Amino acid sequence: QDTTVLTEPMEDPQEEYRKAQHALKTSLFQWTPDWLSASHHFDHAGKGFKLKQQYDEAIQSYTEAAKAHLKADQSTSAAKSYEEIADILVKRNVDNAKIDKVTIGAICEAFENASRILTEDSDLQRASNIELKAAKAFEKIYSKVAENTNSIGADSDTILEILKVTTLKQFMSACEKIVRSEKAAFVFDAFPACLGFCLRIGDYNRGIDMLNRMIKIYSGMNQKHRLHQCYLSLVIVHLKRNDAVAARNLFSENLNDTDYLRSSECEAAENVIRAWEARDEEAVNKSVKNHAINSLDRQVVLLARSLNPYKTAGLHKKQNNITEDMSKVTMMPNQPPQPPPPSKLDEPKPVEAIPQKDADTNGTEKAEIDQVAPEPTATSIPTAEPEQEQNCVNQSQIEKVKNENVNDNEVSGVNTQEGAGENDDDLDFLM
């Protein structure tokens, strides 16, 4: 048996395009253009140009084909032609890293034309598929631009922002049309894809809104397992936003669902919340490795693995330790500055004690041991007598000495030899 696949040879796209133009002409025997034949030839011409990588000619052929299909009341075929134009623009520009505002606008226009035609034809299911395809295409472009910002140039931030807004717009529009079409089978693709992109770009508020909508849809569809996964995903997103109160309240509210209470998702959520509230980084890392969490959407799993009670709250362990250590050595506002340590050159050399007898006012004699003052040097200042020292110390200096817990007898001016010696030691730093 011959298994050779016989394919019809494709005619020259230029010839197909010429036939299409000829079908649009009118004559004595053809009063109106043959839009049906013209659309057929334009489609073949666009396909041929696309295979030959003559993208400009292909785009022109498909544009004329879309117009001819609309004239022939073939809305589905017209939308297909616009979809082909969008695919060519994505392939030609994205593969060659030629992304700019004009290209993004042309791609968006082609997809929107296709979606608009199907929406006007009340085919919401196919319209949502077109917009979902557009959203995924823009998400792919966003990833490529984010990875190669240097090749884009100085407008990379602006282009990324435009791609972000456009992608979200296509995702949200696709989800809205799916809800309006009441085609539940397409919910499982569009909504998780939109949720993943929201979490990827850090739009957690929109991600929470999307999860709440998914909860309502899954509750109406009696999808228990997917519903429990949404509960667990919400807990993780709230913790990522450092909102442990909202995560705990949500967990408590969901306990009213007896099926969720017995599920593995409930256990995983409780473990993560407890570890987070205890600020136990190791326990958090261990709890997010649960099988129930690993079964969630990819972006939610990545979000769970990045949870850190210190980094998310802006209170890293090392910063806490540094703050505590600095608080111990911080000088009190009322504490005077400490004097600098005395130089070794200023320290008097030890000398032997010489006994000396002095007569006091009562005629009594007593032996005292006095230290012989060293001879003044270039770096030392001779010590003044106690009475002269007290005259030199002003009132502000005495107040500072009081804060240093100087004894009352040292400040009151006692003229005993022992008291004067102590004053000399305490007031050395004031000289």
Side-chain angles (χ1 to χ4, degrees):
Q1 183 179 358
D2 188 7
T3 58
T4 304
V5 178
L6 298 178
T7 58
E8 180 182 356
M10 180 175 296
E11 295 188 13
D12 184 18
Q14 292 285 356
E15 182 66 21
E16 291 289 338
Y17 194 85
R18 187 190 63 80
K19 291 181 179 180
Q21 289 180 326
H22 181 73
L24 296 178
K25 293 180 180 180
T26 58
S27 63
L28 181 61
F29 302 100
Q30 184 177 346
W31 293 0
T32 58
D34 189 357
W35 297 108
L36 186 60
S37 299
S39 63
H40 175 77
H41 290 297
F42 278 132
D43 278 334
H44 278 275
K47 184 177 181 181
F49 286 129
K50 182 179 178 181
L51 291 176
K52 289 185 176 183
Q53 296 184 357
Q54 298 177 3
Y55 296 126
D56 292 333
E57 291 81 357
I59 292 174
Q60 179 64 27
S61 299
Y62 279 121
T63 302
E64 296 296 333
K67 296 178 181 179
H69 283 304
L70 289 176
K71 291 291 185 178
D73 293 331
Q74 295 178 335
S75 57
T76 303
S77 299
K80 182 64 177 177
S81 297
Y82 280 120
E83 185 179 356
E84 289 288 345
I85 294 173
D87 291 339
I88 293 173
L89 290 172
V90 171
K91 181 177 179 58
R92 181 181 67 176
N93 296 281
V94 175
D95 293 348
N96 298 328
K98 296 180 180 179
I99 303 298
D100 52 20
K101 298 178 183 178
V102 177
T103 302
I104 296 173
I107 297 173
C108 187
E109 182 182 3
F111 278 120
E112 287 181 351
N113 287 334
S115 176
R116 175 180 53 81
I117 292 172
L118 293 174
T119 303
E120 292 175 354
D121 199 30
S122 300
D123 195 349
L124 296 179
Q125 178 182 342
R126 292 187 178 181
S128 63
N129 290 341
I130 293 293
E131 293 179 348
L132 183 59
K133 181 180 179 180
K136 291 182 177 180
F138 282 118
E139 184 179 10
K140 182 179 179 181
I141 298 173
Y142 178 87
S143 302
K144 191 162 187 177
V145 173
E147 294 174 358
N148 303 293
T149 54
N150 296 330
S151 62
I152 303 301
D155 295 336
S156 58
D157 294 338
T158 304
I159 292 176
L160 281 175
E161 187 65 24
I162 294 174
L163 288 171
K164 184 189 300 183
V165 174
T166 305
T167 305
L168 281 175
K169 178 182 177 182
Q170 297 293 335
F171 269 128
M172 299 301 294
S173 181
C175 293
E176 290 292 340
K177 286 183 173 59
I178 289 175
V179 174
R180 289 167 53 190
S181 65
E182 299 180 355
K183 301 292 183 181
F186 297 94
V187 173
F188 305 129
D189 187 17
F191 279 84
C194 182
L195 171 64
F197 185 75
C198 292
L199 299 181
R200 179 182 178 183
I201 62 177
D203 193 350
Y204 300 131
N205 292 330
R206 195 183 299 272
I208 291 174
D209 293 338
M210 186 60 58
L211 281 169
N212 288 327
R213 294 181 63 184
M214 294 168 65
I215 288 174
K216 294 180 180 179
I217 295 173
Y218 293 153
S219 298
M221 299 171 59
N222 199 23
Q223 294 283 333
K224 293 293 185 180
H225 180 64
R226 294 180 184 272
L227 182 63
H228 299 164
Q229 287 183 331
C230 288
Y231 290 156
L232 178 56
S233 299
L234 271 176
V235 169
I236 293 173
V237 176
H238 279 304
L239 292 179
K240 185 63 178 180
R241 295 175 63 249
N242 193 28
D243 195 350
V245 176
R248 170 62 70 177
N249 293 338
L250 176 68
F251 176 76
S252 301
E253 292 175 1
N254 295 333
L255 293 180
N256 296 327
D257 187 349
T258 56
D259 294 329
Y260 175 68
L261 186 61
R262 295 190 296 266
S263 65
S264 59
E265 287 80 10
C266 179
E267 181 182 0
E270 183 179 11
N271 293 336
V272 174
I273 293 175
R274 284 184 177 178
W276 184 275
E277 292 175 343
R279 295 291 180 186
D280 191 341
E281 185 176 351
E282 295 182 359
V284 171
N285 294 334
K286 183 179 179 180
S287 61
V288 298
K289 295 179 181 179
N290 187 281
H291 175 71
I293 295 180
N294 293 332
S295 301
L296 301 176
D297 294 328
R298 180 176 180 274
Q299 288 299 329
V300 179
V301 175
L302 295 177
L303 207 67
R305 293 178 181 178
S306 65
L307 288 178
N308 189 309
Y310 294 100
K311 290 183 179 179
T312 306
L315 301 172
H316 199 272
K317 286 182 177 180
K318 294 183 179 179
Q319 293 180 351
N320 285 343
N321 295 337
I322 292 175
T323 304
E324 292 176 0
D325 295 339
M326 291 300 295
S327 63
K328 295 179 182 179
V329 300
T330 302
M331 184 178 294
M332 299 298 294
N334 296 328
Q335 182 180 356
Q338 298 295 330
S343 174
K344 292 184 178 180
L345 297 177
D346 296 338
E347 296 179 357
K349 298 180 181 180
V351 296
E352 295 180 357
I354 301 175
Q356 183 178 1
K357 296 182 179 180
D358 295 334
D360 56 4
T361 56
N362 296 328
T364 61
E365 297 179 355
K366 62 178 180 178
E368 291 183 351
I369 299 176
D370 295 336
Q371 293 183 350
V372 178
E375 296 182 2
T377 60
T379 59
S380 62
I381 301 175
T383 307
E385 294 296 331
E387 294 180 358
Q388 296 177 354
E389 290 177 350
Q390 291 175 359
N391 294 331
C392 295
V393 177
N394 55 26
Q395 188 65 24
S396 62
Q397 292 173 332
I398 293 176
E399 292 296 327
K400 293 182 180 180
V401 174
K402 286 182 179 182
N403 292 331
E404 292 294 328
N405 296 326
V406 180
N407 295 329
D408 294 335
N409 60 350
E410 294 175 342
V411 183
S412 62
V414 179
N415 292 328
T416 61
Q417 187 70 16
E418 181 179 359
E422 293 178 356
N423 254 349
D424 291 343
D425 295 337
D426 290 334
L427 301 178
D428 278 344
F429 73 94
L430 297 174
M431 296 300 295

